[in-house]
Amino acid sequence: MKNTGKLYVVGIGPGAYEDMTIKAVKALEESQVIVGYTVYVDLVREHFPGKEMMTTPMRREQERCQLVIDEAKKGKTVAMVCSGDSGVYGMSGLILEMAEHDADLEIQVIPGVTAALSGGALLGAPLGHDFAVISLSDLLTPMELIEERLRRSAQADMILCIYNPSSKKRADYLKWACEIVMEYKSPETVCGFVRNISRDEEEMEILSLEQLRDAQVDMFTTVYIGNSMTKEIRGRMVTPRGYKNV
């Protein structure tokens, strides 16, 4: 019998302990070792004292996944923590790929509240109808494909939820995306963004698509571009589902 443990891939939500699911908390309580990107491990550290914590810096994803797999193969119960949901731009897919031939290793993916949902709740109800989630990071996705997805979603009048809208190296990406979207949507389309969801520096704003084009955002910001029915109601961003017509 091989001495193989259990590996949890845990979505910890946007950052606050209160936004974690009960299932996620139980998985971390059960784990002997918690592994993750430094920022995400620091978000949970105080709530799980006594656990062995192992971190790697940004852009060391494969190394991080191999680390957690190796720890589990020693017979330990380990957890890889991911912000939001572990399957939405998270580590669950990569871990399952890298552990493809480790048939004896038990892997359980624990869902979490992704930024589209937690940020949407702060803004009001922007995702009340069909929506697309698109990352503007071109680290793993060609710009041509990102542009095609933006165009097709905007042309279909879908609500857009944009992850990774800007960084130091990609300062003008959101402006570029808004200009593409404005080929299909009105400049007055109701939009919003939330920065640092559930963290001390949390802030949000509702504005027009034209204003969004010049907004200052970063990697910790989630952006929402409404559809033709989205409106602002008492300072909240709302996309009607259409129940009045049923």
Side-chain angles (χ1 to χ4, degrees):
M1 212 52 187
K2 292 184 178 180
N3 185 27
T4 301
K6 178 187 289 187
L7 198 171
Y8 288 114
V9 194
V10 182
I12 62 170
Y17 178 80
E18 293 77 9
D19 289 325
M20 292 176 62
T21 67
I22 295 173
K23 194 171 186 179
V25 171
K26 287 183 176 179
L28 294 181
E29 288 176 342
E30 182 185 335
S31 298
Q32 299 163 280
V33 184
I34 296 175
V35 181
Y37 168 46
T38 307
V39 172
Y40 304 151
V41 170
D42 287 344
L43 289 173
V44 302
R45 188 184 298 274
E46 67 174 299
H47 302 291
F48 301 94
K51 305 293 183 182
E52 182 180 358
M53 304 282 183
M54 305 176 75
T55 65
T56 65
M58 186 178 287
R59 299 184 70 172
R60 301 278 283 276
E61 287 82 6
Q62 286 188 308
E63 178 184 329
R64 194 180 312 145
C65 290
Q66 191 60 58
L67 176 62
V68 77
I69 290 169
D70 290 343
E71 289 299 306
K73 289 169 73 173
K74 293 176 184 178
K76 301 177 183 178
T77 298
V78 301
M80 167 74 84
V81 292
C82 307
S83 69
D85 178 85
S86 61
V88 180
Y89 307 117
M91 294 291 99
S92 58
L94 181 55
I95 284 178
L96 290 170
E97 286 183 283
M98 293 179 64
E100 180 180 3
H101 302 295
D102 295 308
D104 296 322
L105 178 59
E106 181 182 351
I107 301 175
Q108 187 172 350
V109 178
I110 308 295
V113 181
T114 188
L117 306 181
S118 54
L122 289 170
L123 286 172
L127 305 179
H129 216 296
D130 298 336
F131 65 94
V133 178
I134 299 175
S135 170
L136 295 190
S137 173
D138 59 348
L139 182 63
L140 301 174
T141 307
M143 286 299 294
E144 296 78 13
L145 185 53
I146 295 173
E147 179 176 346
E148 182 179 4
R149 289 171 176 169
L150 284 169
R151 289 188 181 280
R152 290 179 181 270
S153 300
Q155 189 173 24
D157 196 30
M158 297 183 75
I159 305 149
L160 297 177
C161 181
I162 297 178
Y163 284 42
N164 306 315
S166 183
S167 68
K168 291 181 180 179
K169 293 182 179 180
R170 301 182 293 104
D172 61 344
Y173 276 31
L174 180 61
K175 181 176 182 179
W176 166 78
C178 288
E179 288 175 348
I180 290 173
V181 172
M182 276 195 286
E183 295 179 28
Y184 308 94
K185 293 178 181 282
S186 165
E188 300 305 314
T189 299
V190 177
C191 300
F193 66 81
V194 183
R195 182 185 286 114
N196 294 314
I197 301 168
S198 293
R199 303 176 194 179
D200 292 339
E201 305 84 6
E202 179 183 279
E203 58 178 306
M204 53 177 263
E205 185 174 345
I206 295 176
L207 65 176
S208 70
L209 178 54
E210 188 171 36
Q211 292 170 323
L212 178 65
R213 178 179 56 185
D214 299 314
Q216 298 300 307
V217 298
D218 56 26
M219 288 287 285
F220 297 102
T221 305
T222 306
V223 173
Y224 301 78
I225 300 176
N227 67 13
S228 59
M229 301 299 292
T230 305
K231 60 185 74 174
E232 183 177 351
I233 301 175
R234 295 177 58 189
R236 313 299 290 275
M237 183 179 177
V238 179
T239 302
R241 182 70 176 92
Y243 292 111
K244 289 182 180 181
N245 300 321
V246 175

